[in-house]
Amino acid sequence: MRRPVFAGNWKMYKTQAEARAYFSALAPLVAGSTHADIIVAPTFTALAASVDATKNTAISIAAQNMHWEAEGAFTGEISAGMLVETGCRAVIIAHCERRQFFGETDERANKKVKAALAAGLTPILCVGETLAEREGSKTEEVLGRQFVGGTAALTGAEFSRIILAYEPVWAIGTGRTATPELATDAHRFLRQQAAAGFTPERAAGLRILYGGSVKPDNIKGLMAQVEIDGALVGGASLSPEVFASIVNF
């Protein structure tokens, strides 16, 4: 049985003070939520404050991005080691907004996955098609390419430590959500790719999250699907009450 994961991605919102207030409100709301892993990804500047605010709770802190090199002349970048030093335990890699706005490629995503694993972080690798790609019947082609590219050259043991997130780009921040059936089809395809690239046993253990306008009113339908192992939540994670209601669906 795969343990569900609910991950909140704050994107470019919340100061350190706002992060502390958020976790003060969220912690008691999910104190009894032992059925799932809870992860929140604040901004870089709020990471240390968030780690401090979630001590003695079951909430893990993740970063929203990282560089694959340990150090160097990469102005504005953050390394895996720096994230670990703050107390981060996971990192989101190749979110669709990173792909769309900042030129993230599958090759770079793969380098980041490897660097994250080497540092002891859990990578949450994101894949997903655009509306044009879906309407052009290229969903499986795109997902297959992104999956293979992002997980290239991983050992089976390394692969078993990653989390995958399916994010149809057309549903990110648009209010549109893939139906549970559409999401299930994509998740099933990704699990088939995992079985082909690694082993059926490792594929069976892979946790695949759905991301794309997840809200309290659609989480039950999504989580009723056997292939959906949790959610990567964007805007709805900015409210502790709303995010808690998703976790406690």
Side-chain angles (χ1 to χ4, degrees):
M1 186 69 178
R2 296 183 294 270
R3 182 174 171 80
V5 181
F6 294 96
N9 175 20
W10 288 357
K11 308 189 182 184
M12 199 173 72
Y13 293 97
K14 296 194 186 297
T15 63
Q16 294 181 52
E18 289 169 336
R20 293 189 185 95
Y22 176 96
F23 288 114
S24 179
L26 178 66
L29 297 176
V30 297
S33 307
T34 57
H35 63 288
D37 291 337
I38 304 169
I39 302 172
V40 177
T43 57
F44 283 134
T45 56
L47 285 176
S50 297
V51 169
D52 184 64
T54 54
K55 285 180 180 176
N56 303 316
T57 76
I59 304 166
S60 297
I61 299 300
Q64 298 176 18
N65 186 34
M66 55 166 272
H67 197 278
W68 59 86
E69 292 288 353
E71 58 184 10
F74 304 104
T75 301
E77 293 292 335
I78 300 290
S79 72
M82 294 171 182
L83 297 180
V84 170
E85 186 182 34
T86 69
C88 271
R89 296 172 61 184
V91 57
I92 299 172
I93 292 175
H95 186 280
C96 71
E97 290 164 355
R98 299 298 311 177
R99 293 179 186 269
Q100 182 179 3
F101 301 131
F102 302 100
E104 187 81 283
T105 64
D106 294 327
E107 180 184 9
R108 291 181 178 182
N110 182 240
K111 289 180 179 179
K112 292 179 180 183
V113 167
K114 291 175 181 175
L117 289 167
L121 293 167
T122 297
I124 302 174
L125 174 63
C126 301
V127 298
E129 81 282 11
T130 65
L131 181 59
E133 289 165 342
R134 171 162 283 279
E135 292 180 340
S137 300
K138 294 183 178 180
T139 295
E140 291 190 355
E141 175 187 334
V142 172
L143 295 184
R145 182 182 69 245
Q146 292 176 345
F147 175 83
V148 171
T151 62
L154 294 185
T155 65
E158 288 173 332
F159 178 76
S160 69
R161 293 168 50 203
I162 76 168
I163 295 172
L164 201 64
Y166 167 59
E167 302 181 305
V169 179
W170 48 271
I172 305 296
T174 64
R176 299 177 62 179
T177 307
T179 64
E181 293 74 22
L182 283 178
T184 291
D185 288 344
H187 284 224
R188 185 181 296 114
F189 173 77
L190 288 166
R191 206 172 300 282
Q192 290 169 350
Q193 294 295 296
F198 296 90
T199 65
E201 292 75 21
R202 294 196 186 281
L206 173 66
R207 294 186 288 181
I208 307 178
L209 314 184
Y210 171 76
S213 296
V214 175
K215 298 179 177 65
D217 61 2
N218 60 32
I219 189 62
K220 286 185 179 180
L222 291 166
M223 291 304 295
Q225 306 300 310
V226 174
E227 289 291 346
I228 298 178
D229 304 312
L232 179 56
V233 186
S237 72
L238 294 174
S239 161
E241 293 78 15
V242 174
F243 185 52
S245 70
I246 291 173
V247 172
N248 297 321
F249 70 98

